Amino acid sequence: MKEEKRSEKEKMLAGEIYSATDEQLIGELGETRAKIHEFNSLHPSEKQKMREILTGLLGHIGDDNIIINQPFRCDYGQQISVGKRFMANFNFTVLDEARVSIGDDCFIGPNVSIYTACHSTDPVERNSRQEWAEPVTIGNNVWIGGSVTILPGITIGDNVTIGAGSVVVHSIPSNSIAVGNPCRVVRTLE
């Protein structure tokens, strides 16, 4: 039986190595950038139009009680899922080559970045534009402080606070307060 060739997007979503120069992916990135440009250009009073754009852009929105302040940036949008009562402050950036799942009642401070895209440390491999992606999962009742960076493959449990300026390089268990670069648990909640 002949094996069916998988698209670069299918490889990307499966966490396999894919070509970042694929025409379909580049086209989708362009379409998303156009939607993001429209969203970021709206007057803050145009909340209904903002909601319509976010509903068409993001893969899942838990309810109508979400706030994403402008400017917002993402690569594809469809791999992003946010729960109920989600709030993200200014300059929220998500590189969603893999799934990014964010639970209910999460608050994201300004200048937070979530990355799923991975690149080789070998310059020859990196320059080939072959990459892969690892998902990021954030539980319920999480507060991510300002200027936090969350790296690929991270899981942050429920009831977690990540201190401002942290770089999350390892998963953080539920009921924790974690800070620093690299981010580490400094207190466990009862």
Side-chain angles (χ1 to χ4, degrees):
M1 190 162 132
K2 186 176 179 182
E3 188 174 316
E4 189 173 317
K5 186 175 183 208
R6 298 173 64 206
S7 71
E8 296 303 304
K9 182 174 183 175
E10 289 170 326
K11 292 177 192 175
M12 179 183 80
L13 296 175
E16 299 170 6
I17 294 175
Y18 67 94
S19 173
T21 60
D22 177 70
E23 287 183 26
Q24 176 189 1
L25 294 176
I26 290 172
E28 288 184 21
L29 287 168
E31 291 170 14
T32 301
R33 285 191 173 92
K35 292 175 188 175
I36 290 292
H37 175 76
E38 182 182 5
F39 175 83
N40 289 331
S41 298
L42 289 171
H43 189 277
S45 66
E46 296 181 81
K47 295 192 185 314
Q48 182 60 36
K49 183 64 177 168
M50 287 180 179
R51 191 168 317 281
E52 289 172 13
I53 292 170
L54 289 174
T55 299
L57 180 66
L58 302 182
H60 172 78
I61 296 175
D63 64 14
D64 286 339
N65 296 317
I66 72 158
I67 298 169
I68 297 180
N69 286 331
Q70 302 155 299
F72 166 59
R73 303 272 189 271
C74 67
D75 276 341
Y76 295 95
Q78 289 301 302
Q79 282 77 252
I80 302 171
S81 172
V82 299
K84 297 175 184 172
R85 298 168 299 277
F86 174 76
M87 190 277 176
N89 217 319
F90 308 105
N91 295 314
F92 183 40
T93 299
V94 183
L95 304 186
D96 61 315
E97 280 68 18
R99 187 162 176 75
V100 174
S101 301
I102 302 172
D104 295 338
D105 298 300
C106 289
F107 299 93
I108 306 289
N111 303 308
V112 168
S113 297
I114 298 174
Y115 306 142
T116 67
C118 301
H119 307 276
S120 176
T121 56
D122 178 274
V124 173
E125 288 179 13
R126 185 172 53 245
N127 289 339
S128 74
R129 304 302 191 258
Q130 298 291 305
E131 56 187 62
W132 69 98
E134 298 176 7
V136 169
T137 302
I138 299 172
N140 298 314
N141 305 307
V142 174
W143 176 22
I144 309 288
S147 299
V148 167
T149 301
I150 301 170
L151 297 185
I154 297 299
T155 296
I156 296 173
D158 296 334
N159 310 312
V160 170
T161 298
I162 304 291
S166 295
V167 178
V168 185
V169 300
H170 300 290
S171 292
I172 304 295
S174 293
N175 305 308
S176 298
I177 298 173
V179 299
N181 180 4
C183 189
R184 62 183 177 78
V185 174
V186 295
R187 192 168 116 208
T188 301
L189 303 175
E190 298 297 321

